[in-house]
Amino acid sequence: APVLISILLGASFSRYQVEESVEHLLAPAHSLAKIERSLVNSLFPVNRSKHRLYSDLQTPGRYGRVIITSFRKANMLDQHHTDLILKLHSAVTRIQVQRPGFNYTFAHICILNNDKTCIVDDIVHVLEELKAARSSNRTNFAITYPITHLKDGREVYNGHQLGGVTVHSKDRVKSAEAIQLTYYLQAINSLNDMVAEKWESIFCDTVELFQKSNRKVKMYPFTSSSLKEDFQKTSRVSERYLITSLVLVVTLAILCCSMQDCVRSKPWLGLLGLLTVTLATLTAAGIINLTGGKYNSTFLGIPFIMLGHGLYGTFEMLSSWRKTREDQHVKERTAAVFADSMLSFSLTTAMYLVTFGIGASPFTNIEAARIFCCNSCIAIFFNYLYVLSFYGSSLVFTGYIENNYQHSIFCRKVPKPEVLQEKPAWYRFLLTAKFSEDTADSEETNTYESHLLVWFLKRYYCDWITNTYVKPFVVLFYLVYISFALMGYLQVSEGSDLSNIVATATRTIEYTTAQQKYFSNYSPVIGFYIYESIEYWNTSVQEDVLEYTKGFVRISWFESYLNYLRKLNISTGLPKKNFTDMLRNSFLKAPQFAHFTEDIIFSKKYNNEVDVVASRMFLVAKTMETKREELYDLLETLRKLSLTSKVKFIVFNPSFVYMDRYASSVGAPLQNSCISALFLLFFSAFLVADSLINVWLTLTVASVEFGVIGFMTLWKVELDCISVLCLIYGINYTIDNCAPLLSTFVLGKEFTRTKWVKNALEVHGVAILQSYLCYIVGLIPLAAVPSNLTRTLFRCLFLIALVTFFHCFAILPVILTFLPPSKKKRKEKKNPENREEIECVEMVDMDSTRVVDQITTV
């Protein structure tokens, strides 16, 4: 049934869709910035300020952007490079997009200025005037930075268009190592958007082709579609690495379940355990496709979550099978396995469903995290059902094969030892098995102890880790672990940089690196929008606005730009230059402020007077290094000022959509999952046999999560959507591995603590070790994927597995030997009169299948 269900649902991949909107996935769903964007777009539906300031002032829209620099740090303003850049500009404007019946050029789809001409970066006009000045041997033309003057008297801003600038006195530019050009496109309808998207693709091809013919310069193209394409590119570049991972896991899973005894070896169960996980994942993917869900690159983490949980459950069942008696019937052995292992597996599965279910709830504000948690819940639920049905049935079949003394791989009857003596050596090696008749009645050896991992744990590791001389070193090592974890925990940073989720060898990474290198002096432009009708000419209004602008000066962050207001006469016809100069002087009081501009929307009254409906000005942070955390703090500060100001205004930049409430949004799933996990552990303390199990489990989870957060920070992993999802999984992974270990120890009676620590490791250590080895081998190829998303995924999952393994095999076995619960040190000797007498009657049928009936008398 699981196979058929998976095949049927897997056919739904014909409806396979990919999520195109990165903002929908990674921007907080309930964001004040989105409301502010709607208000801004309603006030200023056409954004014509792009020609004055490099920025996506209201909406990113469609655009093509390129940074031109030199390998030898040459001056991009010399004659050779100036001609080269103007030649590139000419080639870009001649790009044609062929559509049935018409060929679109840049002139057809560009954003128009007030004079119905295409908006082109002012740096192009600067370069044209520089070329004309050189042609006429004029030496009086000088470029200043960040404000320069054209021959028509206009002041233009070039702070985001010239990079790596070296200046003389009076801000005169001596050289510039990089130049940036931006071409803005219209996307007012579906046809226009389709043409603009195609134009962006041809733009990148044109730039790359142009560079091939001019190898002394380096060009970094970037478009509005680059982030989306590079985000989904992670899935394509990961394919062969995931196939390698699958091959390695299959190989190791088969080896971990194998042993020299050809009858008791279970290689097929290792393969079938992995197949169980695969079927569950395929079923979940089919359900998502049928319900209209869309794939995105964050789903790459789901198979590894399934691998950690599913394989441990199957290995735990196999470990329980080894503890059963061989003289029992297959049904009795299977019942014992389910009774021993499925209770803990059911509880840990319930914990997965609760923690990821909270993450899939509407409380989660990041859509990518919500969808990921939802899909994980579906996959884990079906994995539980398939382990019960598909893997349980597989265990029954292999049980009958073992009971009939058939080969574990070839399923052929294994001959008796006397028959094997006549066969060749290689034949005897392949059919090595221990028959029950070979073991004397006085021997109490377990036939499964020849398994390498069982033999290693029982004979060596358990005695070594509980040695009196080893314990102090383990405790010391744990203190070092806590110290480094604390050091990293105090340096945790939030990663809202979108370049952290794309493939590495992409346009987004190359462009972002060049942008930070050459154009980091000025941050993105922040729009300041006044959305009420106010009388600018009123003295009291001027004082209110000036009081607010002084608040900006105190922040010491911005360089303000306004150049439009002083040209206007409003209402009574009085010139407003005096008021404009007041604004200008208030900003120029701080050294960070230089120039300002404002756009105003008017409406006519019945007496032909003009009223101001809304206005805006743009602010640019002047700083060498702008951290996103500081920009987020600035956003919150400006919003608080807007609440106390008498003037109604908002601040907006498209990047605020990703940044707004990001800290609280990205951490909410982890906080909610931790709270739900702690609640469940506290509630179930009244249901379990001993509440100390949950106490130890809570402390262990806290220790593991604290360490993972600290070490991932030291490993340069920021707290973003991917790492938070991994941390949610870390809670469950720790409970998965530690709960059976702690339960066996706490519930053990009689003997000493050390004895029960050894017993717990012997019973559950093999399953933990097997799943850990398969998990790590599966993760290793992920480290080689050229993507920042998979890099974060690998580092977080690797740390979770490593730290949990460290706790299971070192910290807990040592600490539990001298901390509660206490044990009776000696086992009470039974009275000889109370001895049990067991009479066994063995009945052998014609097929040599042994059925044992035990008649017990006291």
Side-chain angles (χ1 to χ4, degrees), residues 81-274:
H81 289 97
T82 300
D83 295 341
L84 191 67
I85 293 170
L86 291 176
K87 184 179 178 182
L88 173 64
H89 170 70
S90 178
V92 169
T93 55
R94 292 198 305 268
I95 292 176
Q96 292 186 354
V97 178
Q98 297 181 355
R99 297 292 299 170
F102 195 78
N103 292 336
Y104 291 88
T105 63
F106 177 70
H108 295 109
I109 58 176
C110 67
I111 292 182
L112 300 177
N113 208 335
N114 293 328
D115 56 0
K116 303 302 180 181
T117 59
C118 289
I119 292 178
V120 179
D121 278 348
D122 286 316
I123 190 63
V124 175
H125 302 306
V126 172
L127 295 178
E128 289 175 345
E129 292 191 11
L130 182 62
K131 181 179 180 180
R134 285 174 178 152
S135 300
S136 59
N137 294 324
R138 286 188 292 112
T139 59
N140 59 347
F141 182 77
I143 303 175
T144 54
Y145 181 81
I147 304 296
T148 192
H149 296 79
L150 300 178
K151 62 181 181 180
D152 59 2
R154 286 193 300 122
E155 288 183 345
V156 297
Y157 171 72
N158 56 32
H160 288 120
Q161 297 166 355
L162 291 178
V165 176
T166 303
V167 296
H168 290 297
S169 59
K170 298 182 180 180
D171 294 334
R172 295 184 60 180
V173 177
K174 179 180 179 181
S175 65
E177 296 180 11
I179 289 179
Q180 181 166 229
L181 303 178
T182 306
Y183 301 89
Y184 297 100
L185 310 174
Q186 296 182 26
I188 55 179
N189 54 51
S190 59
L191 176 61
N192 198 255
D193 185 71
M194 185 187 306
V195 173
E197 184 178 13
K198 182 65 176 176
W199 190 95
E200 290 178 351
S201 177
I202 301 175
F203 167 78
C204 293
D205 297 337
T206 302
V207 171
E208 292 172 355
L209 185 63
F210 191 85
Q211 182 179 347
K212 289 180 180 179
S213 58
N214 301 274
R215 297 187 178 275
K216 291 185 179 181
V217 295
K218 177 62 178 175
M219 300 182 183
Y220 304 93
F222 186 77
T223 67
S224 63
S225 304
S226 296
L227 180 62
K228 174 189 68 177
E229 295 171 356
D230 297 342
F231 173 60
Q232 301 299 350
K233 187 178 180 180
T234 298
S235 301
R236 297 192 297 273
V237 300
S238 302
E239 289 176 356
R240 59 190 183 96
Y241 297 96
L242 292 177
I243 293 174
T244 304
S245 176
L246 180 62
V247 172
L248 291 176
V249 173
V250 168
T251 304
L252 194 61
I254 292 174
L255 291 176
C256 285
C257 297
S258 302
M259 50 192 296
Q260 190 176 3
D261 193 319
C262 68
V263 173
R264 293 163 184 86
S265 180
K266 300 290 185 293
W268 285 114
L269 285 183
L271 179 61
L272 291 170
L274 192 60

